[in-house]
Every structure is written in structure tokens, then in C-alpha cells.
């Protein structure tokens, strides 16, 4: 068997399991080995029944008195008595009707499960049971618990992984072998095998340390390399002019918050140096990031340089152009502002580009299509990017190529990097936070809507519209994949048109022509259109204070950051606002969504996200394998110091990163973050 063989070749793995694996992205033997457990339960200590106490227990016993019956709501209940020399204990299985037939009464079993109160009696609930003579996989040992799905239980995974365990030896360490060896760490291949079937807790901890090391090392290395690269670059120095800053602030229609002042000052200090700035401004939706960016731009314009400002969508670029021209006007700088978009007429676009090339001190606003506009960037001193995480490409390096130098870089986002990650792994990142909100925003009431409550939700929606408010309805994708797909915005749109009639409903998504998108957006902004069904194209920046209801279909499909962005579209005006999460099926709402409903603060949500998914899942596919391990704990000082030593070791060796394909891919992923890309 080879690592690249499909999972079908594993003995005992049938078509059903193969399909369930595929759903989890597990195609090959290697994928399965890299599908890591979420946690481990220690059932390794076998105790006499006489000595068991509530909690996880393992016993070695015979089983008798096996009975099966139907309980309330058709639930099947199988019960039995397990006995050893010391005592007896009741076993109970819910909805596992096959149990009764599979158990034999004169057999010694390992039995592991949770001993607890159930319907007023103590019993071991849903225990794993294995014949003693076998090598136990599910009981009487440290047991791996995997991310499961409806058709994929941890015991199925364990059985399949056990069959291919010898193949783990062939797994290649993405890191240079001398690094881990030099630090006395377990080999990568052995760590993979061990994490599935550890013999002892110590061995398990060593394996975890090794796998976490592999996760952190590329990020720390990226951090170190970026810092080194930036120090070697030369940027245009933008002199700080206090009079200009004062004048700008004096002409503002509002008072800057203390946070805005502090962050602007940090930026001015960074730009007044010949090492390129590399700063990320983080602030929740509505925290006033735009004016901070404009203050940076004003200083660059005054110094005689170009500034480029990229927004993720044309819609936003145009919206920014309006607000920014209002800010520049009192300073007499409005002539510097140039908007370049893809939907402009060819003639207007040429005029705009000509002007950008003719003048030195310009503020050029557009989307990432600025990269292909043909503007001469040689005089570019400052690049500002709004909502960076929406772009796929490395604009900064592309502009560096065109400009033949590295501009100062300011990245603006409502999706913060979790503090713990920033402090430990990406310690060289320059972060600025806008925590205080200028105008007090309404807290947004977040509600989980079960499918059975859908009609009640429609009543709420109708009521909101009849009170003169507006609503966004968001779905995860555009077109239905099959007849049962209720999450496609086209389907949602048709259904709502029917159910909300005569209230008009509009539809907007990224595959529509830009002018139609503009037209629909304009009618929503002007309040003619009360309900707007859309994909996440409205995720960032759109500002309609009269919209007070956000409904998200299939919220399970969205990340926490995205949900938070979407929720931030409402609560912008004087009226109370709500966000409804329309759950797709009757499964229990994920704890993640419940937490989301409780937490309003974007910084807090980012920590939660890190905790739930791990940094690899948040920042691209840094992780080995396709499973989400989320096993990284950033408060482990031993891990952090080992990883730092590892990076030193690698850098001292003078080794070439490009010798290690997988590692260099992981490092460039992480560098997207350290370069704030
Ligand atoms: P975001 O951080 O989401 O990009 P914006 O920069 O668009 O937020 O600002 C949101 C709104 O708050 C804008 O209308 C802006 O003019 C306003 N604003 C920004 N700073 C202040 C302030 N210090 N006082 C009052 N209003 C402000
Ligand atoms: Mg913004």
C-alpha cells in the first residue's frame, strides 16, 4: 500500500465510509493519516467495578442480562449488566440496536465509557466494547476522538487508521530533518503514528509537541524572514508636517477619538522613516478606519508622492470616493483624488489614468484592477488596502515590481488577528487597534432560527418592512446545486418573492453585470427596495443606516469573521437591529453559533475563532493534512521557545528554503500575513 493510494484499498473500508471520508476531504491513505484527532480520552486504566466513580472508566468484565426496548419517541434502548470479580454495573446504549446481537455472554470484554447518572440511575452510557484478546482500539487505552460527521464515527476512523498505521513511516517531514533532531523532538512520522494510537500520556504529549512545532515553525520563520526583508528595503520617507495634521483635524466635521489619534500618530512615525511601513489597522465595523487612512494619505500627498488606495469592490471604491472627497475638500486637495474603476467608460478611464501619470501628488482610488491600469507607480510612496482578506493576490509585491521599490504599506481590516497569535508567533507585526467606537452603535440582537420557526421569522421580516425599515438576506452561494438546495440566493429570492408579496424583493450577486448591481444597490440605498437578497458581496463596507434586519441562511457555512462582518451591516442607524441565523436543518445549533450570538466584539470573536479552529485553518492551509487539528495551544512556553530555537537553527544553517517544497509553501502562506497580505 502506498500513501498515495485511495482510501478504497484499505481493508474493511466500504463505499459508505469512502463517501464519508470524501466529504471530509480525505481521498488518500496519506490524507487519512493526516486527519488528526481533535482530542484524546484516557481509558487506559482498568479498574475493578467496585472502585469505579463517575467520569470516564474502563473495566474488564463479562456481560449478561442483555435486553432491548423502545423508549420515548421511538428511541432504542439496549441495557446489560457487566460483572467482574468485584461487583456489577449497568451498561446502557441509546440508539445502538445492533448492540444486543453483537454481545456474547461468556466472553471477557474491555468496556470503556462514561459512568454517570441517567434517568436516576448510575450506569456506563454508550460504552465501547471490545473482546479482550484483540488489540483494543476503542477501549482500555488512550482513545483518539476525531472530528466526526453523521456517517463517520471515531471508531470507524480508528479501525481504518489502524490498518494503515505502518504506512505512517513513509510520511515525509515538511521541515528539514536536522531542525527537529537538533532540538531532540520526536520524528514527524512517529508523531503522526503516535497521535492516533498513543501508548502513554507522555508519548502523546511528545507527539503533540512535535505536530504543533510543525504548525508554528513556518509561521515564526515567516515572521523572521519578513522582518529581515523589510529591513533591507528602502522606502520614500514621508515627512511629518504637524501643521497639516492640525489643519486636517480642525476641518473635520467631528472630533477624532483618542484611538484614532494614537493610531494616526503611529502611522506618521512609521512613514517618517526609510524602512517601509508594514502596519495593520484593526477595528470593528464603524470604528472609523477610513479617516485614519486618509490622514496617512494626506501626509504623503503633501510630501509630493503618490498614494494608492484599494478597496475590495467597485461599490466600495465609489462609496469611498464620495466620503474621501468630502474630507479632502476643506484642505484644497480634492484635485488630487482620482477614481479609477473597471466600469468607467474607456474615455473616462483614460483621462483618469493620464491625470494620475501627469501629477505626482495624487491619491488614486480603485479596486485591485489598479494593478493592471498602466499607471506609472514609480513615485508611489504609500499603498493602503481596505479589507485585505478579500483579495487573493499579493498586490504589494506586484506594485513593488511595477514601482521598482517597496512602498509604505497600510492594511485596514475589520477582521483582527487574534491577540494571542500576534503576541507570540507574529511578534514583529505592527498592529494598531481602534477599540472605541466614535458614534455609539446599537448592540445587535442575534437570534438562531430553527427550521420550525421559519414562518415566525417571516412575520418578523414583514413587520420590520411594514415599519419602514429594510432588510438584507444573505445566502452562501448563487445557484442551486440540486432540487433540495435551499441555500442558493436564487432559490431564496424566488421563495421570498412569493412569500413576501406584494413587498418588492431584489437580488444581487457577483455574477450579475456591474451596472445591474449598481442599479439594484442604488434602489436599496434610496429605500425603494425594502428587501435585498444577496451573496456576501455586501459583506464589506456597505452603509445603509435604515437597514435593521440581517438574515443569514446556512450560517453553518460561514466563518465567524464573515458572520460578524455581515452582522455589521445593520445597527448603523437610530433603530434597533437584529441578525437572524437561519439554520439549515434541525441539528442542534453549533456551539460556535451560540457563542457568536452572545459575543458582539470583533476582537473577542477572533480569539474564539482561533481557539475553535486553530491558526492553520484561519490563515490558509498552513496545516499538514486536510483535517482541522486545532491542537495548537499558544500559551505553551516550551513549544514557543523550542520553535524559536528551531528558526535560529535553520537561519544559522544558511539553508535554502526552496529546498523544502511544502515548507516554503507554508512559509509563503504565513508571509501573506506577516506582509499583511
Ligand atoms: P469603518 O471602520 O467601518 O471603515 P468608517 O471609517 O467608514 O468605518 O466610519 C464609519 C462612520 O463613522 C463614518 O460615517 C465616519 O464619518 C464616522 N466617523 C469616523 N470617525 C468618527 C469620529 N471620531 N466621530 C464621529 N464619527 C466618526
Ligand atoms: Mg471601512
Amino acid at each position: 500500500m502506498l500513501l498515495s493510494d485511495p482510501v478504497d484499498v484499505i481493508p474493511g473500508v466500504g463505499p459508505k465510509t469512502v463517501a464519508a471520508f470524501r466529504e471530509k476531504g480525505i481521498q488518500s491513505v496519506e490524507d487519512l493519516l493526516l486527519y488528526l484527532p481533535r482530542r484524546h480520552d484516557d481509558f487506559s486504566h482498568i479498574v475493578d467495578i467496585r472502585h469505579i466513580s463517575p467520569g470516564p472508566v474502563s473495566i474488564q468484565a463479562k456481560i449478561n442480562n442483555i435486553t432491548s426496548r423502545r423508549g420515548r419517541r421511538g428511541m432504542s434502548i439496549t441495557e446489560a449488566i457487566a460483572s467482574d470479580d468485584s461487583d456489577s454495573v449497568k451498561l446502557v446504549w441509546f440508539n445502538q440496536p445492533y448492540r444486543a446481537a453483537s454481545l456474547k455472554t461468556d466472553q471477557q470484554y474491555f468496556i470503556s465509557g462514561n459512568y454517570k447518572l441517567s434517568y436516576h440511575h448510575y450506569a456506563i452510557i454508550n460504552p465501547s466494547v471490545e473482546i479482550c484478546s484483540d488489540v483494543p482500539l476503542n477501549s482500555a487505552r488512550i482513545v483518539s476522538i476525531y472530528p466526526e460527521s453523521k456517517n463517520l464515527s471515531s471508531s470507524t476512523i480508528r479501525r481504518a487508521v489502524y490498518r494503515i498505521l505502518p504506512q505512517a513511516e513513509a510520511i515525509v517531514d515538511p521541515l528539514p530533518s536536522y531542525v527537529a533532531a537538533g532540538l531532540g523532538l520526536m520524528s514527524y512520522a512517529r508523531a503522526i503514528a503516535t497521535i492516533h494510537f498513543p501508548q502513554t500520556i507522555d508519548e502523546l504529549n511528545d507527539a503533540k509537541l512535535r505536530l504543533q512545532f510543525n504548525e508554528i515553525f513556518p509561521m515564526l520563520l515567516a515572521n523572521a524572514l519578513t522582518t529581515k526583508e523589510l529591513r533591507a528595503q528602502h522606502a520614500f520617507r514621508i515627512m511629518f508636517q504637524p501643521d497639516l495634521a492640525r489643519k486636517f483635524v480642525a476641518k473635520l466635521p467631528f472630533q477624532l477619538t483618542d484611538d484614532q489619534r494614537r493610531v494616526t500618530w503611529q502611522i506618521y512615525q512609521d512613514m517618517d522613516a526609510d524602512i517601509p511601513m508594514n502596519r495593520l489597522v484593526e477595528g470593528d465595523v464603524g470604528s472609523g478606519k477610513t479617516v485614519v487612512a486618509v490622514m496617512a494619505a494626506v501626509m504623503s500627498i503633501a510630501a509630493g508622492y503618490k498614494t494608492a488606495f484599494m478597496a475590495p469592490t467597485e461599490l466600495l471604491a465609489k462609496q469611498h470616493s464620495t466620503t474621501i472627497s468630502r474630507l479632502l475638500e476643506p484642505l484644497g486637495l480634492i484635485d488630487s483624488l482620482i477614481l479609477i474603476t473597471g466600469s468607467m467608460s474607456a474615455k473616462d478611464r483614460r483621462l483618469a489614468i493620464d491625470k494620475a501619470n501627469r501629477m505626482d501628488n495624487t491619491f488614486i482610488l480603485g479596486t485591485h484592477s489598479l494593478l493592471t491600469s498602466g499607471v506609472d507607480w514609480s513615485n508611489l510612496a504609500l499603498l493602503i488596502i481596505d479589507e485585505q482578506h478579500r483579495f487573493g493576490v499579493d498586490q504589494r509585491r506586484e506594485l513593488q515590481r511595477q514601482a521598482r521599490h517597496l512602498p509604505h504599506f497600510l492594511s485596514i481590516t475589520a477582521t483582527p488577528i487574534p491577540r494571542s497569535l500576534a503576541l507570540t508567533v507574529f511578534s514583529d507585526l505592527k498592529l494598531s487597534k481602534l477599540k472605541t467606537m466614535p458614534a455609539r452603535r446599537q448592540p445587535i440582537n442575534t437570534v438562531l432560527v430553527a427550521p420550525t420557526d421559519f414562518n415566525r421569522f417571516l412575520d418578523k421580516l414583514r413587520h420590520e418592512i411594514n415599519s419602514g425599515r429594510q432588510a438584507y438576506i444573505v445566502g452562501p452561494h448563487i445557484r442551486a446545486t440540486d432540487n433540495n438546495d435551499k441555500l442558493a440566493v436564487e432559490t431564496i429570492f424566488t421563495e421570498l418573492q412569493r412569500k413576501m408579496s406584494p413587498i418588492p424583493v431584489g437580488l444581487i450577486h457577483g455574477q450579475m453585470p456591474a451596472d445591474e448591481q449598481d442599479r439594484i444597490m442604488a434602489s436599496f440605498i434610496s429605500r425603494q427596495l425594502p428587501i435585498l437578497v444577496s451573496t456576501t458581496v455586501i459583506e464589506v463596507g456597505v452603509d445603509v443606516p435604515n437597514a435593521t434586519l440581517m438574515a443569514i441562511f446556512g450560517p453553518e457555512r460561514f466563518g465567524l469573521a464573515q458572520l460578524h462582518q455581515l452582522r455589521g451591516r445593520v445597527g448603523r442607524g437610530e433603530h434597533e437591529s437584529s441578525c437572524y441565523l437561519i439554520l439549515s436543518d434541525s441539528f442542534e445549533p453549533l456551539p460556535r453559533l451560540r457563542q457568536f450570538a452572545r459575543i458582539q466584539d470583533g476582537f473577542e470573536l477572533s480569539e474564539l475563532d482561533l481557539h475553535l479552529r486553530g491558526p492553520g485553518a484561519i490563515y490558509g492551509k498552513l496545516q499538514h493534512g486536510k483535517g482541522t487539528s486545532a491542537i495548537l495551544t499558544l500559551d505553551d512556553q516550551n513549544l514557543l521557545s523550542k520553535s524559536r530555537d528551531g528558526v535560529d537553527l535553520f537561519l544559522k544553517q544558511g539553508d535554502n528554503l526552496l529546498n523544502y517544497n511544502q515548507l516554503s509553501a507554508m512559509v509563503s502562506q504565513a508571509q501573506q500575513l506577516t506582509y499583511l497580505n
Side-chain angles (χ1 to χ4, degrees):
M1 206 187 292
L2 296 173
L3 286 174
S4 56
D5 281 346
V7 283
D8 313 57
V9 304
I10 305 171
V13 170
K16 251 195 176 158
T17 307
V18 169
F21 278 153
R22 192 150 299 148
E23 247 172 54
K24 291 276 186 193
I26 303 166
Q27 313 262 7
S28 66
V29 167
E30 181 168 27
D31 292 342
L32 181 55
L33 284 167
L34 294 178
Y35 191 72
L36 303 184
R38 198 156 37 88
R39 65 183 167 90
H40 294 81
D41 283 349
D42 187 359
F43 287 113
S44 58
H45 300 289
I46 294 179
V47 293
D48 286 349
I49 293 178
R50 178 163 51 119
H51 289 137
I52 63 177
S53 54
V57 295
S58 283
I59 55 173
Q60 183 174 347
K62 285 189 173 177
I63 295 179
N64 47 48
N65 292 18
I66 305 160
T67 62
S68 263
R69 62 190 162 87
R70 290 263 154 213
R72 269 177 296 155
R73 282 190 268 143
M75 181 163 55
S76 100
I77 301 173
T78 305
E79 294 181 333
I81 301 293
S83 314
D84 64 9
D85 293 342
S86 72
D87 207 344
S88 303
V89 64
K90 191 165 166 185
L91 312 177
V92 181
W93 293 270
F94 295 108
N95 282 333
Q96 300 185 19
Y98 54 89
R99 284 285 177 189
S102 67
L103 296 170
K104 296 190 179 62
T105 49
D106 52 358
Q107 181 73 55
Q108 282 283 335
Y109 287 105
F110 288 131
I111 301 164
S112 294
N114 214 351
Y115 182 59
K116 63 177 186 185
L117 258 186
S118 168
Y119 299 105
H120 310 298
H121 294 286
Y122 271 99
I124 305 181
I125 308 302
N126 293 331
S128 297
V129 172
E130 277 172 298
I131 295 173
C132 280
S133 53
D134 289 347
V135 180
L137 300 183
N138 305 313
S139 59
R141 58 165 306 127
I142 300 169
V143 175
S144 303
I145 313 294
Y146 296 87
E148 302 182 343
S149 63
K150 219 164 87 199
N151 298 314
L152 196 60
S153 68
S154 285
S155 65
T156 306
I157 300 171
R158 266 177 237 133
R159 212 174 324 120
V161 171
Y162 186 71
R163 295 289 192 132
I164 57 171
L165 211 52
Q167 270 68 39
E169 239 173 87
I171 288 183
V172 178
D173 186 355
L175 312 190
S177 52
Y178 59 84
V179 172
L183 298 169
L185 292 168
M186 186 187 267
S187 84
Y188 184 65
R190 186 163 152 235
I192 292 289
T194 305
I195 200 86
H196 292 291
F197 291 102
Q199 296 297 339
T200 64
I201 292 288
D202 281 349
E203 197 189 42
L204 172 62
N205 286 337
D206 288 349
K208 271 193 196 164
L209 178 69
R210 177 55 215 268
L211 296 180
Q212 294 173 343
F213 178 84
N214 271 42
E215 214 164 317
I216 277 203
F217 179 88
M219 296 196 251
L220 282 173
L221 183 57
N223 194 41
L225 291 176
T226 301
T227 308
K228 222 168 113 183
E229 276 176 48
L230 285 175
R231 294 225 171 102
Q233 297 286 339
H234 195 86
F236 294 150
R237 187 166 181 165
I238 299 172
M239 282 271 278
F240 171 56
Q241 304 183 31
D243 289 346
L244 179 62
R246 229 170 277 134
K247 189 169 162 203
F248 182 90
V249 172
K251 305 263 169 154
L252 280 175
F254 46 72
Q255 287 252 312
L256 288 180
T257 64
D258 287 349
D259 277 357
Q260 284 171 321
R261 281 174 198 280
R262 183 177 41 80
V263 170
T264 309
W265 175 238
Q266 290 170 335
I267 294 170
Y268 284 157
Q269 281 179 311
D270 283 359
M271 297 195 306
D272 197 349
D274 43 23
I275 298 168
M277 169 170 72
N278 193 47
R279 186 170 286 278
L280 176 66
V281 175
E282 309 176 324
D284 247 335
V285 176
S287 60
K289 299 184 287 293
T290 315
V291 65
V292 169
V294 172
M295 287 185 74
V298 163
M299 214 48 82
S300 164
I301 297 168
Y305 296 121
K306 274 197 176 74
T307 297
F309 187 125
M310 294 188 199
T313 62
E314 284 220 16
L315 199 70
L316 271 176
K318 285 178 199 155
Q319 204 171 287
H320 275 321
S321 151
T322 316
T323 49
I324 292 173
S325 53
R326 249 182 258 138
L327 293 172
L328 294 181
E329 192 164 22
L331 294 178
L333 290 176
I334 194 147
D335 198 40
S336 301
L337 187 66
I338 301 173
L339 175 69
I340 303 176
T341 70
S343 66
M344 282 170 126
S345 74
K347 180 169 161 253
D348 286 350
R349 194 175 150 87
R350 208 184 48 245
L351 283 174
I353 294 170
D354 283 351
K355 185 173 166 197
N357 284 337
R358 211 172 46 244
M359 284 170 66
D360 272 337
N361 50 346
T362 47
F363 187 170
I364 302 164
L365 188 58
T367 63
H368 63 281
S369 72
L370 285 183
L371 293 175
T372 51
S373 62
V375 170
D376 171 8
W377 297 112
S378 53
N379 200 31
L380 179 74
L382 172 64
L383 169 62
I384 304 171
I385 293 198
D386 198 11
E387 296 305 343
Q388 177 71 49
H389 68 285
R390 301 281 301 191
F391 293 97
V393 283
D394 189 343
Q395 303 88 343
R396 189 194 207 183
R397 279 185 204 271
E398 176 53 26
L399 276 183
Q400 176 185 18
R401 198 184 62 73
Q402 294 183 22
R404 287 183 298 279
H405 69 270
L406 198 64
H408 292 292
F409 187 55
L410 187 63
S411 190
I412 308 174
T413 185
T415 309
I417 296 171
R419 200 179 113 84
S420 48
L421 196 62
L423 282 178
T424 53
V425 182
F426 297 116
S427 52
D428 286 348
L429 277 188
K430 295 268 175 31
L431 298 181
S432 299
K433 285 181 207 284
L434 294 173
K435 282 197 170 154
T436 41
M437 291 291 190
R440 221 163 48 79
R441 278 173 54 95
Q442 304 255 5
I444 299 156
N445 183 26
T446 307
V447 185
L448 305 192
V449 180
T452 46
D453 286 343
F454 188 64
N455 282 329
R456 246 191 292 167
F457 159 72
L458 291 180
D459 292 341
K460 289 254 167 56
L461 175 60
R462 217 171 274 122
H463 177 261
E464 207 64 14
I465 304 303
N466 291 336
S467 320
R469 305 284 83 76
Q470 290 166 277
Y472 297 102
I473 315 285
V474 175
H477 51 263
I478 300 176
R479 215 139 284 146
T481 49
D482 59 56
N483 285 339
N484 274 330
D485 185 352
K486 298 209 165 72
L487 298 183
V489 290
E490 289 184 345
T491 315
I492 298 168
F493 170 63
T494 317
E495 188 184 351
L496 286 183
Q497 265 191 324
R498 192 160 48 80
K499 295 202 164 149
M500 285 294 120
S501 165
I503 299 170
V505 180
L507 173 66
I508 189 169
H509 60 68
Q511 283 182 16
M512 288 160 69
D515 54 342
E516 197 176 342
Q517 287 186 44
D518 283 353
R519 193 178 52 73
I520 290 171
M521 207 56 225
S523 71
F524 189 71
I525 291 168
S526 69
R527 301 192 183 195
Q528 277 167 321
L529 184 64
I531 300 178
L532 182 60
V533 179
S534 89
T535 52
T536 52
V537 287
I538 54 107
E539 181 188 326
V540 278
V542 176
D543 190 16
V544 181
N546 190 48
T548 54
L549 189 151
M550 164 64 68
I552 303 165
F553 280 64
E556 308 87 351
R557 317 268 174 123
F558 295 97
L560 286 178
Q562 240 182 340
L563 289 173
H564 186 58
Q565 282 273 351
L566 288 168
R567 179 167 64 180
R569 298 302 108 219
V570 296
R572 310 187 137 225
E574 54 193 308
H575 303 286
E576 200 177 307
S577 296
S578 310
C579 174
Y580 292 90
L581 305 179
I582 317 287
L583 304 171
S584 332
D585 39 41
S586 53
F587 284 138
E588 218 178 308
L590 306 163
R592 193 173 72 94
L593 295 180
R594 283 217 206 97
Q595 302 247 45
F596 173 74
R598 192 174 54 76
I599 300 173
Q600 297 272 340
D601 177 57
F603 291 107
E604 202 183 326
L605 277 173
S606 76
E607 285 296 327
L608 175 67
D609 208 21
L610 175 70
H611 180 70
L612 291 175
R613 296 197 296 151
I618 302 181
Y619 301 109
K621 293 196 170 52
L622 291 176
Q623 249 152 339
H624 28 76
K626 294 177 178 159
T628 53
S629 71
I631 52 174
L632 196 55
T633 42
L634 291 167
D635 45 13
D636 184 341
Q637 288 309 317
N638 179 34
L639 168 65
L640 284 169
S641 72
K642 274 247 169 355
S643 307
R644 287 195 189 106
D645 292 348
V647 168
D648 288 346
L649 214 85
F650 179 81
L651 292 176
K652 277 210 194 86
Q653 187 86 9
D655 202 349
N656 189 349
L657 186 56
L658 296 176
N659 292 337
Y660 308 93
N661 278 339
Q662 213 184 326
L663 176 63
S664 62
M666 291 192 278
V667 168
S668 44
Q669 275 271 7
Q671 273 198 308
Q672 299 235 332
L673 193 65
T674 54
Y675 261 120
L676 302 173
N677 258 311

